[in-house]
Amino acid sequence: MRQHGLDAENEGSDGRARPLLILSLAERLIVDAQAQLNKIPRSQRFRYGAHLGDALYRLPELIVQAASARTNKTKVYALCDHLRVLASLMRIGAESDYINDRWLGRINRPGTETDKGGEFSQVSAIAFAWRERLKG
């Protein structure tokens, strides 16, 4: 995936923008989810599908707001709350056979020493670690 200056958290020591890892992961998650969104049955496409799509597309906005706020706990907490809602929506979709169980398992795969895990798992881990760091 191409990196743009727009996804920079701050500048590195060389003056170039450093990409936000969490934003890149969220973008990959959204691109990966397109196939699942397209497979949602027509009867649920404008109910469940629209709700899930909106929740996915809101994720980058919340990440950028949280990164911009830096010390503002409210934005990071809102991001974490949104991730919980998104996880719930995806579980509902899998249980209702609107989205593929294997896809959900892949994006939620926990990280190990040799594998970083699925995109959603990584985004959640970064956001909740960020929240814990701000608590102190």
Side-chain angles (χ1 to χ4, degrees):
M1 180 179 281
R2 287 178 289 165
Q3 296 294 319
H4 304 282
L6 297 175
D7 61 351
E9 176 181 20
N10 54 24
E11 292 184 356
S13 58
D14 59 358
R16 285 191 280 179
R18 286 190 324 194
L20 270 170
L21 175 62
I22 189 172
L23 184 57
S24 297
L25 289 167
E27 290 168 352
R28 276 192 283 170
L29 174 64
I30 292 167
V31 169
D32 194 28
Q34 293 307 309
Q36 295 301 313
L37 290 171
N38 291 336
K39 291 178 184 176
I40 293 173
R42 185 176 299 259
S43 63
Q44 289 297 319
R45 198 164 291 159
F46 297 106
R47 290 183 194 151
Y48 172 77
H51 201 59
L52 178 61
D54 290 346
L56 282 164
Y57 286 122
R58 182 133 163 71
L59 196 52
E61 179 183 348
L62 291 171
I63 290 169
V64 169
Q65 288 175 356
S68 297
R70 296 197 186 245
T71 58
N72 187 347
K73 293 179 186 180
T74 307
K75 301 288 185 180
V76 176
Y77 279 44
L79 171 60
C80 292
D81 290 344
H82 186 75
L83 286 166
R84 285 188 182 115
V85 170
L86 189 52
S88 177
L89 285 171
M90 290 189 292
R91 278 193 307 273
I92 290 167
E95 289 174 17
S96 303
D97 288 329
Y98 300 152
I99 60 175
N100 188 296
D101 288 340
R102 286 186 298 176
W103 175 78
L104 186 59
R106 186 173 54 78
I107 65 166
N108 280 314
R109 186 181 70 248
T112 64
E113 288 183 22
T114 57
D115 179 27
K116 292 180 181 177
E119 291 96 349
F120 188 75
S121 177
Q122 289 182 63
V123 168
S124 296
I126 292 169
F128 283 96
W130 195 358
R131 179 181 173 151
E132 285 301 311
R133 213 177 20 213
L134 289 176
K135 269 186 178 178

